[in-house]
């Protein structure tokens, strides 16, 4: 090949590389997996668990402490004995399969960031519910509203998180009866990604939906899902008034609900995978079906949070094999039920972003990616079994979320992906570093970690010999320094502020 031809190929290669880089920058607002979900049970095995769940619902039933929900289920055909509600075989499943959507769109304030929840799609959201935060300088401390704002901004700035999440941490410097207003507003003001509302009481859920109506418009809200919520069962086999009442507020307004039994195996369910799966399914069927009793067609997500328990200390454990298998089983059950599924994340019991945190997070996140999960809560920031939201851990986890996108793309079988001409052109005994194909693809060929250090020992030493957490520390600070809020219509912002001020005057500073 002549040198002239080589130079021409180089120009073409650089042009192709720039085009590939531009395509890489135009990231989708959510992931779509090209991998077949990994499945661990046969149809016969799944039917056994489904049958066991039906036996639990028919013979044992569920305690429901929400009077309206008990009344609604009785009218739908359930057998009510005080707060104990039993369900004829197949009743809950029929209610769900008849009207619950298999997928739905959550519309974002910025329409370009709207997400599709269900099918082969995956949406990654930050950790939820931590009362503490941690960073290298401040250590572990109670979270404040400033921390809440910081994590909303960090999620907004990350190209690898698709959702703003919900209670990214608990701002304990705001009175409990009022803090939901500040949290929901923070998602609306400091981000234009989709977000979650409050569920700690039905009236707080109602406030969340009303604020969403002010932001998007009442008519738009009626026809579109713009806010979702997380409603956890009080396992074992109990649904309380706060959760079902909140689910009712969202579902009645056509807004999304994630129905999630929260189970620590060995304490809140049996120690076996099949036992946990059957109980989880039974509890979820009740919550999922209730949304359809309230409003047929309301968007709903089957959620699971199942972890193991140390039989020696009683503490939750993460990254162990049994919850991984449980996750795979429940994902299969959700697909058979025909609704989106939520689970997984970067979970750890470690108190700091150390080797334990890395191993346990990897052991929970990889199965998340392979199971075919649609909505991933706790994708970034989780420490100490969820008690702490870590600044450095958040950054390290978002790097893993970026790798998830590369993994879920699967195998590229396009002409460029096959690279046959590159093999023919280069031939035996020659390297590919200078080939036209390599030059055209080198900028996007492999995922580039923004937290890992792959340099030589000498260069790493010269640059300060920083550990992973130290590198992440500078990255979250840089991200916050560069943050610019997305534009928000002034009239809508004023209406939200007025609503919050009015509600804060009405609500007391402390709960009775």
């Amino acid at each position: 090949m002549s040198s002239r031809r080589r130079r021409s190929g180089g120009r073409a290669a650089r042009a192709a590389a720039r085009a590939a880089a531009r395509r890489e920058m135009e990231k989708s607002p959510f992931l779509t997996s090209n991998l077949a979900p990994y499945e661990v049970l046969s149809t016969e095995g799944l039917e056994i668990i489904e049958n066991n769940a039906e036996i639990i619902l028919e013979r044992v039933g569920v305690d429901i402490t929400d009077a309206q929900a008990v009344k609604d289920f009785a009218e739908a055909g359930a057998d009510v004995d005080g707060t104990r509600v039993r369900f004829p075989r197949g009743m809950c499943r029929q209610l769900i399969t008849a009207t619950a959507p298999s997928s739905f769109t959550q519309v974002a304030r910025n329409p370009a960031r709207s997400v599709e929840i269900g099918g082969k799609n995956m949406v990654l959201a930050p950790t939820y519910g931590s009362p503490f935060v941690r960073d290298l300088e401040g250590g572990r401390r109670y979270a404040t509203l400033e921390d809440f704002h910081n994590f909303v901004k960090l999620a907004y700035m990350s190209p690898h998180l698709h959702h703003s999440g919900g209670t990214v941490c608990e701002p304990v410097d705001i009175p409990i009866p009022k803090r939901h207003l500040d949290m929901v507003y923070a998602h609306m003001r400091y981000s234009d990604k989709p977000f979650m509302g409050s569920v700690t009481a039905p009236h707080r859920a109602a406030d969340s939906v009303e604020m969403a109506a002010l932001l998007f418009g009442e008519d738009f809200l009626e026809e579109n899902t713009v806010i979702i919520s997380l409603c956890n069962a009080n396992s074992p086999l109990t649904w309380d008034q706060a959760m079902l009442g909140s689910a009712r507020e969202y579902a009645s307004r056509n807004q999304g609900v994630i129905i999630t039994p929260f189970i620590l195996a060995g304490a809140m369910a049996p120690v076996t995978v099949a036992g946990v799966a059957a109980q989880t399914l039974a509890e979820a069927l009740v919550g999922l079906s209730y949304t359809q009793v309230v409003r047929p067609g309301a968007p709903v997500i089957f959620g699971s949070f199942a972890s193991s328990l140390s039989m020696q200390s009683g503490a939750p454990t993460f990254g162990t094999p049994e919850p991984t298998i449980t996750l795979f089983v429940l994902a299969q059950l959700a697909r058979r039920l025909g609704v989106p599924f939520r689970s997984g994340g970067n979970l750890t019991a470690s108190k700091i972003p150390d080797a334990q945190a890395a191993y346990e997070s990897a052991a929970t996140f990889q199965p998340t990616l392979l199971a075919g999960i649609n909505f991933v809560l706790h994708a970034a920031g989780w420490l100490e079994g969820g008690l702490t939201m870590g600044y450095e851990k958040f950054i390290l986890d978002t790097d893993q979320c970026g790798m998830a996108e590369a993994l879920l793309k699967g195998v590229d079988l396009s002409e460029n992906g096959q690279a046959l001409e590159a093999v023919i052109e280069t031939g035996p005994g020659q390297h590919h570093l200078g080939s036209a194909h390599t030059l055209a693809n080198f900028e996007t060929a492999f995922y580039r970690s923004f937290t890992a250090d792959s340099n030589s020992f000498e260069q790493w030493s010269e640059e300060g010999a920083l550990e992973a957490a130290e590198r992440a520390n500078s990255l979250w600070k840089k991200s916050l320094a560069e943050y610019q809020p997305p534009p928000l219509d002034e009239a809508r912002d004023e209406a939200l502020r007025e609503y919050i001020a009015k509600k804060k005057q009405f609500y007391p500073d402390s709960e009775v």
Side-chain angles (χ1 to χ4, degrees), residues 96-115:
I96 297 162
T97 58
T99 58
S102 59
S103 64
F104 64 93
T105 301
Q106 185 183 358
V107 180
R109 179 159 72 84
N110 177 356
R113 297 185 183 274
S114 299
V115 295

Side-chain angles (χ1 to χ4, degrees), residues 30-48:
F30 53 90
L31 303 182
T32 299
S33 177
N34 291 319
L35 303 180
Y38 184 75
E39 299 189 336
V40 297
L41 276 186
S42 65
T43 299
E44 181 182 7
L46 295 170
E47 289 174 348
I48 289 172

Side-chain angles (χ1 to χ4, degrees), residues 141-170:
R141 54 185 170 76
Y142 279 108
T144 65
L145 186 59
E146 181 182 2
D147 292 308
F148 193 97
H149 290 170
N150 285 345
F151 281 112
V152 170
K153 292 173 183 178
L154 288 171
Y156 168 71
M157 293 287 283
S158 174
H160 305 305
L161 292 177
H162 316 111
H163 205 277
S164 191
T167 306
V168 290
C169 60
E170 281 280 354

